[in-house]
Amino acid sequence: DAGVTQSPTHLIKTRGQQVTLRCSPKSGHDTVSWYQQALGQGPQFIFQYYEEEERQRGNFPDRFSGHQFPNYSSELNVNALLLGDSALYLCASSPGLLAETQYFGPGTRLLVL
Amino acid sequence: SQQGEEDPQALSIQEGENATMNCSYKTSINNLQWYRQNSGRGLVHLILIRSNEREKHSGRLRVTLDTSKKSSSLLITASRAADTASYFCATPLSSNTGKLIFGQGTTLQVKP
């Protein structure tokens, strides 16, 4: 039973570019959340997807957008990249909106130059 | 802003010793969770304690919760080098368990 998978593992972009990160949830999970973790900090909630809709959003600008597909996988898109967007992006899945525990993927490390 | 604040920020102990890390939070909670992160990789869920529980055990882990002080502690007994990691407490918003609010974490180093 595969856990949460994310791709790519590492990514280097330059300022102003756009990036798309991908996440496949754990089998049986239909809810996906995205987090940004800056170096030395705890993860910060970006948004959550359930039934292909954004259900909750953290304090992130509109440059951050997402999508959930019918197979429950999800994408995180970031436009007009800034140096400050350099971070580890974590995807977490859970079996439903009310599930208390989230299962995290290994993350995608994004470096913006 | 962060909901939880972990203390200490860094902890270094010898193998076999116990490690205690603390977490304080600001708002009322339904539950509090502890996660471990190895070398900037994904987080692994360790234990969840509900607001009506005061103590919970899982293997070498012991978690306490004091809702009157809005604080929790994680005790790792008989630590091993493999316990070297960052440990985070996290609390969900009361009405939506999907949004976890994490503290800044405690970095634990266990020396062999």
Side-chain angles (χ1 to χ4, degrees):
Chain A
D1 178 23
V4 180
T5 60
Q6 292 186 244
S7 63
T9 55
H10 295 82
L11 204 51
I12 300 175
K13 291 284 186 179
T14 56
R15 279 179 297 174
Q17 285 189 313
Q18 178 262 345
V19 68
T20 297
L21 311 181
R22 296 176 177 82
C23 170
S24 290
K26 183 178 169 63
S27 178
H29 290 188
D30 57 6
T31 304
V32 173
S33 299
W34 286 92
Y35 293 80
Q36 179 195 66
Q37 185 179 21
L39 200 60
Q41 303 293 317
Q44 295 216 1
F45 177 81
I46 303 175
F47 43 52
Q48 178 189 59
Y49 277 85
Y50 173 73
E51 291 187 338
E52 301 180 50
E53 289 186 8
E54 183 182 294
R55 298 293 177 147
Q56 279 276 314
R57 189 178 182 91
N59 188 24
F60 279 81
D62 291 344
R63 297 187 298 108
F64 289 77
S65 63
H67 189 77
Q68 185 179 36
F69 299 94
N71 67 352
Y72 309 125
S73 66
S74 177
E75 287 182 350
L76 163 65
N77 300 294
V78 187
N79 294 323
L81 284 167
L82 303 174
L83 296 180
D85 295 332
S86 295
L88 180 68
Y89 288 85
L90 295 162
C91 169
S93 73
S94 58
L97 278 175
L98 300 181
E100 293 174 314
T101 300
Q102 296 190 20
Y103 295 80
F104 284 80
T108 293
R109 187 162 295 283
L110 172 65
L111 177 61
V112 182
L113 301 176
Chain B
S1 63
Q2 302 283 4
Q3 160 81 309
E5 298 285 340
E6 277 97 339
D7 171 56
Q9 288 189 327
L11 183 60
S12 182
I13 59 174
Q14 293 294 134
E15 212 165 24
E17 294 181 337
N18 295 341
T20 299
M21 49 205 89
N22 305 295
C23 166
S24 60
Y25 57 91
K26 299 174 184 175
T27 63
S28 61
I29 59 171
N30 291 333
N31 66 68
L32 185 143
Q33 304 174 36
W34 286 89
Y35 286 81
R36 184 186 74 222
Q37 183 177 41
N38 290 83
S39 301
R41 298 181 61 81
L43 281 77
V44 174
H45 182 264
L46 295 176
I47 196 166
L48 179 152
I49 186 166
R50 301 187 190 286
S51 58
N52 62 352
E53 297 175 310
R54 291 298 168 258
E55 187 171 310
K56 199 163 184 180
H57 296 255
S58 177
R60 294 184 295 112
L61 305 181
R62 174 182 160 235
V63 168
T64 62
L65 180 64
D66 187 335
T67 53
S68 66
K69 295 181 179 178
K70 291 186 169 59
S71 68
S72 173
S73 67
L74 171 67
L75 168 68
I76 304 174
T77 59
S79 63
R80 306 166 181 168
D83 295 328
T84 295
S86 292
Y87 293 82
F88 296 90
C89 67
T91 55
L93 286 184
S94 58
S95 60
N96 183 335
T97 56
K99 181 176 179 178
L100 286 177
I101 310 297
F102 286 85
Q104 292 190 333
T106 292
T107 300
L108 172 66
Q109 182 185 27
V110 181
K111 300 176 183 176

